């Protein structure tokens, strides 16, 4: 009665030296996204967010940004920070955003398209701390940063680097981005992110990406190679470092993702509809501003709406509110035909059941919400305060499973298997059928982390739980890491620039 | 940058003595189910499954069943077990199935409708073992059975009893069903399941349900009160005990769910399409047979297709193959307008990350596959070999979250919160806004198991992981359990029957 059948022993496939994982591949979502809002509700949120921008506007803290907004026709408060927008201006500007953008890295095979039904997964970003079972929780250092970069490169399901997996806080702030980007561009060959923390850091990142690929600025503009996340300071504010980075990115026509930090009950109203309205207002204002800086420059619509625990004020992720907001965010992004960014977020403190179920809720919200760019895909914990090595592997498994879920079911004469059903007959077994043997190696998704052995075998093998198994796997992946091939002149050019800028003292502002 | 904000301390709501959980309520899924098959693919599987029933047919091991099939026009092999079906006969018979059925228990408030967009969650069923963190893994006994019944009754998200949460194997097989059903009907007031293990056990169950409700057989036929899962012995066989139970149920017009046990690569072809085709053939044959026994009697379409680990033959659950089959199963059930049953299945050995992510995959597959009856909703582990007390609570949390996800987003003037956004202004905070305070207690889903405290606070409080917290919660729920009110005459009538039938020796066959 629906219990496990007794496993029949089959010879195990010979273990190769590497880690059994899915090959590098790009994903598309051929299923219809889940829609939690009616069309009328989408229009109502759209309209309310435009009313916010008309009536209340938003604060742009940077003077140059306000100058650009004024020239573009926005209503900039005299001597103040507040900028109000006519809805026509917003919609005309937003409409200039390309509906998809392809990002290139130094390895042509790693190019990724964001938009349409393309689905791309990135690693954890911006955590101040790291955690692993051996060494415990601690502030991040450059050693941890490079250790995580190895995992980013080693796991095929990680399509891009979402930002620093952990902040390498032992490096000086004025030159940290140089070492961090130099390492990312040489230790991985995947698409990278650069932080919009002032103009100079972005300028350095653009130079480094050009050097890593051996290309000039014109080619970079035609074939973008880095992206940046710009978080609004919700509610209704954009700060100077973010705006300066945004402008530098847009001028080089590199994609910027505007992600309002609309935590319902804290930085946004304590209703999903209210938080989405604020998210939409801020995202539209940011995306419109990108188009004012550089018409036709690529942009993404970021959804990060979640809620707080009303009892404590603590942020929560992967909640029922979060997942509905993720689906709704996708509906809004598609309303404007702008690529959609979401996250794999969780608030758990340990790599346990909660970590998995909160992340699954986030991943389903993203993928079936029509996500094009999944940030924090692997390793994000504690609401972003920790990059966990074991959570990294847990997420690799969950994302691989989602990638497999996105593969359409084949229904043809061969797959239907009527001959096999005839061959086996009532009460028979398919293990030995020709139809089964022909698919022996490829029939089903092979897990990287799941343990399907029966209880007795599992216990005899040490009764390792999911986190303990993940610990073994990331260490193995780190051991097996090999630096991807790189043109030696490009590599030298990257490090030359890093060293020169470090000698110069890096950026002027910490 | 997308990290947790520092929690602001708010006074905690006073803890009441009970367990903070969602109220008893029924769920509907207003979202459009996920469709992984095109319409053409659905038709192709439909056609192939009818070809199987025409060309190969199915073995019906019970002679009376074959007699009924023959009279209804099926092609019964002379002197054999094989029954072949004209597709017209199958489709005409299946079309007699009601598109929805309401099940009643002795508490009118617990009535549940299966069909349409109704979503109902049941507990773990039929596990031979139990597990909890205090006492470890062990064969199930009647004490464990009643301990789990208390949880079934105590948690509102559990709508019905899916079967024995654990097999009370210390009771004699001939009378076990009497004690088990007596306990279920008195210790809970929820809809129950009875096992189709021969005619007599079902006859006893029907008598007991009538006595518990104080009603006669006619009323039970009009207002069904129990359901039974009939697993085909895939491939293409239905055994005697199941068929006899099925016939007894159908004659009393109690719903039977036909669930083929189509484990891809073992009891079904090693392709999703092939396994679905076999599932569909067996489900249609079983449902058609129900209609031949008792035209218009309620039935459900059960999907349980998963895959084995090809390396070891071990069954796997919550896999990418499983989840696509769950969505496809819903499409097939809706093709015939028959209520759909799916499961919350996992293969994990511990209440850890794997248990959560495999279950989440299963739950999403079920709920967004349009499930009406979710079996094994709370507590199922190890592919059905274990009922876990901690997994029970983990699943309660995951199902509650799914229930909340099913609540449509309210988008009206009040929810949009434009006044609050105006009141708070750029850079402000919503914690103190009137709009927030008015929603303080009801704004967001309050978790039962998730721990959202920051790392330091969580560590100081003992660093309990999800399974350890679940352990505290189920013990608290067991302590707080109260037997639901019951008419004393009905209760007496139930136990009178149990005692009489036990004195008589119970059923004739073990």
């Amino acid at each position: 009665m629906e219990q496990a059948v007794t496993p029949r022993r089959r010879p195990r496939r010979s273990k190769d030296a590497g880690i059994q994982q899915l090959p590098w591949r790009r994903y598309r979502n051929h299923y219809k996204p889940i829609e939690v809002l009616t069309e009328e509700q989408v229009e109502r949120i759209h309209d309310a967010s435009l009313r916010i921008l008309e009536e209340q506007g938003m604060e742009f803290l940077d003077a140059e940004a306000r100058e650009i907004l004024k020239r573009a026709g926005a209503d900039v408060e005299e001597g103040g920070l507040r900028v109000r927008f006519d809805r026509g201006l917003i919609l005309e500007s937003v409409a200039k955003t390309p509906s998809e953008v392809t990002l290139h890295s130094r390895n042509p095979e790693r190019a990724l398209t964001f938009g349409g039904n393309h689905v791309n997964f990135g690693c954890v970003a911006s955590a101040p701390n790291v955690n692993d079972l051996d060494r415990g929780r601690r502030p991040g250092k450059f050693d941890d940063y490079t250790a995580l970069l190895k995992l980013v490169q080693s796991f095929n399901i990680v399509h891009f680097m979402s930002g620093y997996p952990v902040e390498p806080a032992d490096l000086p702030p004025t030159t940290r981005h140089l070492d961090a980007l130099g390492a990312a561009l040489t230790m991985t060959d995947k698409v990278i992110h650069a932080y919009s923390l002032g103009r100079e850091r972005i300028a350095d990142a653009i130079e480094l990406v050009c050097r890593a690929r051996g290309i000039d600025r014109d080619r970079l503009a035609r074939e973008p190679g880095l992206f940046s996340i710009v978080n609004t300071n919700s509610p209704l504010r954009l700060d100077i470092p973010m705006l300066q980075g945004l402008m530098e990115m847009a001028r080089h026509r590199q994609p910027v993702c505007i992600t309002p930090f609309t935590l319902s009950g804290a930085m946004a109203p304590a209703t999903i509809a209210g938080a989405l309205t604020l998210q939409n207002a801020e995202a539209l204002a940011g995306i419109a501003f990108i188009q004012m800086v550089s018409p036709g420059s690529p942009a993404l619509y970021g959804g990060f709406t979640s809620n707080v625990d009303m009892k404590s004020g603590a942020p929560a992720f992967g909640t029922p509110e979060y997942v509905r907001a993720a689906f709704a965010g996708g509906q809004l992004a598609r309303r404007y035909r702008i690529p959609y960014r979401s996250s794999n977020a969780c608030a758990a403190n340990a790599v346990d059941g909660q970590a998995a179920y909160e992340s699954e809720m986030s991943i389903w919200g993203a993928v079936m919400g029509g996500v094009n760019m999944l940030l924090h895909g692997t390793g994000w914990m504690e609401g972003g305060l920790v990059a966990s090595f074991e959570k990294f592997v847990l997420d690799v498994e969950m994302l691989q499973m989602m990638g497999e879920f996105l593969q359409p079911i084949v229904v043809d004469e061969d797959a239907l298997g009527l001959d096999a059903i005839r061959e086996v007959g009532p009460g028979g077994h398919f293990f030995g059928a020709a139809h089964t043997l022909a698919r022996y190696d490829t029939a089903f998704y092979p897990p990287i982390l799941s343990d399907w052995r029966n209880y007795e075998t599992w216990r005899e093998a040490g009764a390792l739980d999911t986190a303990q198994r993940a610990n073994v796997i990331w260490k193995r992946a780190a051991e097996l890491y090999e630096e991807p091939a790189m043109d030696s002149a490009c590599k030298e050019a990257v490090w030359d620039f890093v060293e020169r800028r470090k000698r110069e003292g890096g950026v002027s502002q910490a």
Side-chain angles (χ1 to χ4, degrees), chain A residues 278-299:
Chain A
L278 188 61
Q279 169 189 298
N280 201 54
E282 296 179 0
L284 292 184
I287 292 166
F289 177 60
I290 291 168
Q291 301 307 320
M292 293 172 187
V293 175
S294 179
S297 192

Side-chain angles (χ1 to χ4, degrees), chain A residues 181-205:
Chain A
L181 291 171
L185 290 167
T186 52
M187 290 182 63
T188 88
D189 61 0
K190 295 182 179 180
V191 163
I192 68 156
H193 166 276
Y195 288 95
S196 285
L197 290 172
R199 197 197 63 76
E200 292 172 286
R201 284 188 181 85
I202 292 295
D204 286 341

Side-chain angles (χ1 to χ4, degrees), chain A residues 216-375:
Chain A
D216 63 16
R217 304 297 172 97
D218 285 348
R219 180 139 173 226
L220 185 72
R222 289 194 310 275
E223 298 174 359
L226 70 164
F227 74 99
S228 189
I229 303 292
V230 163
N231 292 125
T232 54
N233 315 92
S234 305
L236 299 174
R237 184 179 277 168
L238 262 163
D239 68 23
I240 295 174
M242 285 282 179
L243 282 167
Q244 290 189 347
L246 178 159
M247 290 186 284
E248 188 69 10
M249 286 289 285
R251 282 168 180 144
H252 289 90
R253 303 184 81 77
Q254 304 302 297
V256 172
C257 175
I258 305 289
T259 308
F261 196 177
T262 38
L263 212 48
S264 186
M267 293 89 98
T271 54
I272 304 177
L276 284 170
T277 300
L278 188 61
Q279 169 189 298
N280 201 54
E282 296 179 0
L284 292 184
I287 292 166
F289 177 60
I290 291 168
Q291 301 307 320
M292 293 172 187
V293 175
S294 179
S297 192
L300 292 97
Y301 183 114
F304 198 71
T305 294
S306 193
N307 62 288
V308 294
D309 176 5
M310 289 294 252
K311 290 183 295 191
S312 66
F317 294 98
T319 62
E321 290 76 24
Y322 177 96
V323 71
R324 282 176 290 173
F327 290 128
Q331 289 184 260
L332 289 163
R334 288 191 296 282
R335 161 92 181 57
Y336 309 109
R337 303 179 148 278
I338 296 175
Y340 180 48
R341 169 257 153 119
S342 187
S343 310
N344 170 7
C346 79
N349 289 306
V351 183
D352 59 3
Q354 181 182 341
Y357 67 68
E358 289 182 339
S359 271
E360 280 287 352
M361 292 294 278
S362 300
I363 292 169
W364 277 93
V367 171
M368 289 311 294
V371 75
N372 304 118
M373 173 186 276
L374 183 85
L375 240 73

Side-chain angles (χ1 to χ4, degrees), chain A residues 58-245:
Chain A
M58 191 155 165
E59 286 184 359
F60 284 72
L61 304 196
D62 182 79
E64 184 190 359
R66 289 196 302 276
E67 202 46 51
I68 292 168
L69 287 156
K70 197 171 177 179
R71 277 205 307 274
D75 173 18
V76 180
E77 202 173 55
E78 203 63 48
L81 307 169
R82 195 76 76 100
V83 180
R84 293 182 177 79
F85 298 86
D86 177 81
R87 66 176 59 200
L89 176 63
I90 287 283
L91 295 177
E92 275 165 37
S93 305
V94 165
K96 292 175 188 161
T97 309
S99 62
E100 65 177 49
V101 55
T102 297
L103 276 167
H104 303 262
S105 76
R106 62 182 176 82
N107 179 348
E109 297 190 0
R110 303 295 196 190
L112 302 173
T113 299
F114 298 88
N117 65 1
H118 295 271
V119 183
N120 304 287
F121 302 129
C123 63
V124 51
S126 316
N129 304 293
V130 283
N131 200 345
D132 67 69
L133 290 185
D134 304 307
R135 291 165 295 178
R137 188 179 189 272
R138 59 202 186 272
K141 294 190 175 173
F142 190 64
D143 278 354
D144 303 304
Y145 173 82
T146 54
L148 285 162
L149 279 188
K150 289 180 182 177
L151 302 188
V152 169
Q153 179 65 19
S154 296
F155 287 108
N156 293 321
I157 198 70
V158 181
H159 291 110
F160 62 90
M161 182 231 195
S162 302
Y164 307 161
V166 69
E167 190 72 26
D170 53 339
L171 299 185
T174 50
T175 57
R176 187 183 298 164
H177 67 291
L178 297 163
D179 288 305
L181 291 171
L185 290 167
T186 52
M187 290 182 63
T188 88
D189 61 0
K190 295 182 179 180
V191 163
I192 68 156
H193 166 276
Y195 288 95
S196 285
L197 290 172
R199 197 197 63 76
E200 292 172 286
R201 284 188 181 85
I202 292 295
D204 286 341
I206 283 169
E207 178 63 25
L208 282 167
V209 166
C210 285
R211 286 174 177 238
R213 288 166 61 188
I215 62 169
D216 63 16
R217 304 297 172 97
D218 285 348
R219 180 139 173 226
L220 185 72
R222 289 194 310 275
E223 298 174 359
L226 70 164
F227 74 99
S228 189
I229 303 292
V230 163
N231 292 125
T232 54
N233 315 92
S234 305
L236 299 174
R237 184 179 277 168
L238 262 163
D239 68 23
I240 295 174
M242 285 282 179
L243 282 167
Q244 290 189 347

